[in-house]
């Protein structure tokens, strides 16, 4: 009983295997991704054909199995190849004439059957786990269950040349820097007024030199002088010079007068 | 409810995972295991009798307050909770093998499943459903894996004893015609 196995690629679902029965002309489609391993595929083939697991037609099954893995990607096929080798070995052993003393003869399929049954048991357990998880999943616990850690980001793979080219592109895209020359701004009358007012916040009496500060430019000196005269006019300070060319003493007037 | 029952309710309400009787005893200085068990029964009965939307269940060798399944749809559809992510068939088969054969090495799991299980083991370890519980005596002293309390919690099992006995899973031994499976899709 040989079956033809054809492959086609579905745009949406990826590769699918369609196995055409020779006896019944109905085709069925199997997702390759749905097989969780060679035992799964083997069980699938056995079940589809309603084969007695204790009496597997090994030659036919081996051929079908080989046809399927023939088209699988090599990485995926590694586990399947191992199974294929076993199937072929069993097939060969079955062809050998049986010894006359039947007591000694062991069915070469026995180990495979044992594995299949064991595997099917665990498949059933897996199904049970799903039903159990679904049943329990409808009862939500109080409290926050952290999500599993995210996959670490994939390392960035690039050639050194590409990296350097990128750097060059970025540098080229950068605008030419515009340079400014910073020129100290001369103190104007308004600025000088503010400065003098702030100086008088802590003291009541200041000398002219203290207001102007050391190393003042002529512009600053004039600004300060004009500011002082203006402040004296509005009554914020009083100016006194005790003798000609003597130092000028600047005194703050009472707060009321300043206001 | 007496003070012990209230304390237990507070502890269970604030916990993210099931609390064992010994965990719960720590909320007071003088409660015995028996006191705690009795108080838990009072709390559970209280939830049941007074029509609360939550119930007290025994899971993962501990106790947990959970919502009743009758409200699952409403709560989940409102996106107030996220259901746990579904496990792949490969992950489920691997969990099944480890659950029954633990402590078990990777090679033993691969022998039963017939495929390489390296990546699926890693993702189950990351999800906290499996853990390394020792090293075998074999060549290279292989790591041995086992299931975690989170595994029990995910399935709502009190302990591993609640897993079905393999002998009870007799479907595999029956001929295909008796399994009641569709043979032709």
């Amino acid at each position: 009983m040989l079956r033809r196995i054809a492959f086609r690629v579905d745009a949406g679902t990826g590769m699918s295997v369609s196995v055409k029965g020779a006896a019944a002309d109905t085709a069925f489609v199997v997702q390759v991704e749905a097989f969780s391993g060679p035992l799964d595929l083997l069980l699938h083939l056995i079940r589809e054909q309603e084969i007695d697991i204790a009496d597997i037609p090994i030659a036919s099954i081996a051929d079908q199995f080989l046809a399927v893995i023939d088209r699988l990607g090599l990485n995926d096929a590694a586990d399947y190849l191992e199974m294929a080798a076993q199937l072929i070995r069993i097939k060969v052993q079955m062809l050998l004439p049986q010894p006359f003393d039947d007591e000694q003869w062991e069915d070469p399929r026995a180990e495979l059957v044992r594995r299949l049954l064991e595997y099917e048991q665990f498949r059933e357990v897996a199904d049970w786990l799903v039903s159990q998880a679904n049943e329990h999943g409808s009862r939500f616990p109080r409290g926050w269950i952290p999500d599993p850690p995210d996959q670490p980001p994939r390392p960035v793979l690039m050639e050194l040349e590409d990296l350097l080219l990128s750097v060059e592109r970025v540098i080229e895209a950068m605008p030419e820097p515009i340079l400014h020359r910073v020129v100290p701004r001369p103190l104007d009358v308004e600025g000088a007024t503010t400065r003098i007012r702030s100086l008088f916040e802590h003291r009541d009496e200041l000398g002219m030199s203290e207001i102007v500060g050391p190393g003042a430019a002529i512009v600053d000196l004039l600004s300060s002088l004009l500011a002082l005269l203006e402040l004296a006019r509005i009554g914020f300070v009083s100016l006194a010079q005790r003798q000609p060319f003597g130092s000028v003493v600047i005194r703050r007037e009472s707060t009321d007068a300043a206001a | 409810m007496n003070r012990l029952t209230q304390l237990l309710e507070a502890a269970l309400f604030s916990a993210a995972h099931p609390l064992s009787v010994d965990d719960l005893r720590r909320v007071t200085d003088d409660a015995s295991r028996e006191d705690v068990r009795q108080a838990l029964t009072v709390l559970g009965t209280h939830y049941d009798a007074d029509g609360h939307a939550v119930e007290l269940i025994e899971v993962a060798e501990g106790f947990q307050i959970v919502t009743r399944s009758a409200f699952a749809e409403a709560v989940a559809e409102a996106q107030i909770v996220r259901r746990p992510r579904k496990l792949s068939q490969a992950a489920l088969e691997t969990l099944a093998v480890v659950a029954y054969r633990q402590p078990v090495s990777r090679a033993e799991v691969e022998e039963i499943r017939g495929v390489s299980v390296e990546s699926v083991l890693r993702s189950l370890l990351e999800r906290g459903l499996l853990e390394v519980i020792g090293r075998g005596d074999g060549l290279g002293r292989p790591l041995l894996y086992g299931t975690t309390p989170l595994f029990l919690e995910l399935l709502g099992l009190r302990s591993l004893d609640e897993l079905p006995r393999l002998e009870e899973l007799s479907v595999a031994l029956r001929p295909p015609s008796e399994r009641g499976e569709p043979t032709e899709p």
Side-chain angles (χ1 to χ4, degrees), chain A residues 6-18 29-33 71:
Chain A
F7 280 78
R8 66 157 202 258
V9 174
D10 281 357
T13 55
M15 194 195 291
S16 57
V17 194
S18 60
V29 176
V30 183
Q31 295 297 115
V32 169
E33 290 88 345
R71 301 298 188 95

Side-chain angles (χ1 to χ4, degrees), chain A residues 36-39 48 50 79 115 117-119 121 123-125 130 132 136 138-142 147-148, chain B residues 13 15 55 64 66-67 69 72 82 85 92-93 100-101 111-116 153 155 169 171-172 183:
Chain A
S36 61
L39 288 168
E48 283 298 336
E50 296 194 29
D79 297 320
R115 280 191 69 188
L117 289 176
E118 182 182 57
Y119 175 71
Q121 267 191 333
R123 283 282 300 270
E124 277 182 59
V125 173
V130 172
Q132 192 71 22
H136 183 67
S138 62
R139 300 192 286 186
F140 304 121
R142 154 74 196 146
D147 280 336
Chain B
F13 180 81
E55 59 185 324
Q64 196 172 36
V66 294
T67 60
S69 45
R82 242 188 308 167
R85 272 191 303 171
L92 286 162
E93 288 179 17
Y100 280 86
R101 294 288 166 90
E111 168 67 20
I112 291 170
R113 284 203 48 222
V115 285
S116 162
E153 198 187 325
L155 299 171
L169 300 169
V171 175
T183 50

Side-chain angles (χ1 to χ4, degrees), chain B residues 98-169:
Chain B
V98 175
Y100 280 86
R101 294 288 166 90
Q102 59 185 311
V104 65
S105 70
R106 194 181 95 194
E108 288 169 87
V109 181
E110 290 181 341
E111 168 67 20
I112 291 170
R113 284 203 48 222
V115 285
S116 162
V117 296
E118 190 176 357
S119 64
V120 69
L121 262 186
R122 194 168 51 235
S123 92
L124 288 170
L125 286 170
E126 274 172 12
R127 282 192 71 168
L129 296 173
L130 295 182
E131 61 186 347
V132 174
I133 55 174
R135 277 182 175 275
D137 295 326
L139 189 68
R141 309 217 47 206
L143 294 173
L144 299 179
Y145 300 93
T147 53
T148 63
L150 191 62
F151 167 77
L152 296 174
E153 198 187 325
L154 185 77
L155 299 171
L157 301 177
R158 289 180 203 186
S159 72
L160 289 170
D161 296 338
E162 286 197 344
L163 288 170
R165 292 151 65 88
L166 280 181
E167 306 92 83
E168 290 167 7
L169 300 169

Side-chain angles (χ1 to χ4, degrees), chain A residues 182-221:
Chain A
V182 179
V183 185
R185 186 162 165 243
L187 196 63
D188 56 11
V189 179
E190 203 181 318
T193 310
T194 315
R195 185 176 135 79
I196 293 163
R197 277 182 185 273
S198 68
L199 282 170
F200 273 112
E201 262 172 33
H202 304 292
R203 298 193 32 200
D204 286 326
E205 193 177 297
L206 289 164
M208 187 65 189
S209 57
E210 285 173 287
I211 284 177
V212 177
I218 192 80
V219 183
D220 298 342
L221 191 67

Side-chain angles (χ1 to χ4, degrees), chain A residues 72-94:
Chain A
L72 282 176
L74 257 182
N75 288 338
D76 288 344
D79 297 320
Y80 292 83
L81 282 173
E82 190 192 338
M83 175 59 69
Q86 278 186 40
L87 287 174
I88 293 166
R89 185 173 56 82
I90 297 169
K91 180 178 165 184
V92 170
Q93 284 174 335
M94 294 291 283

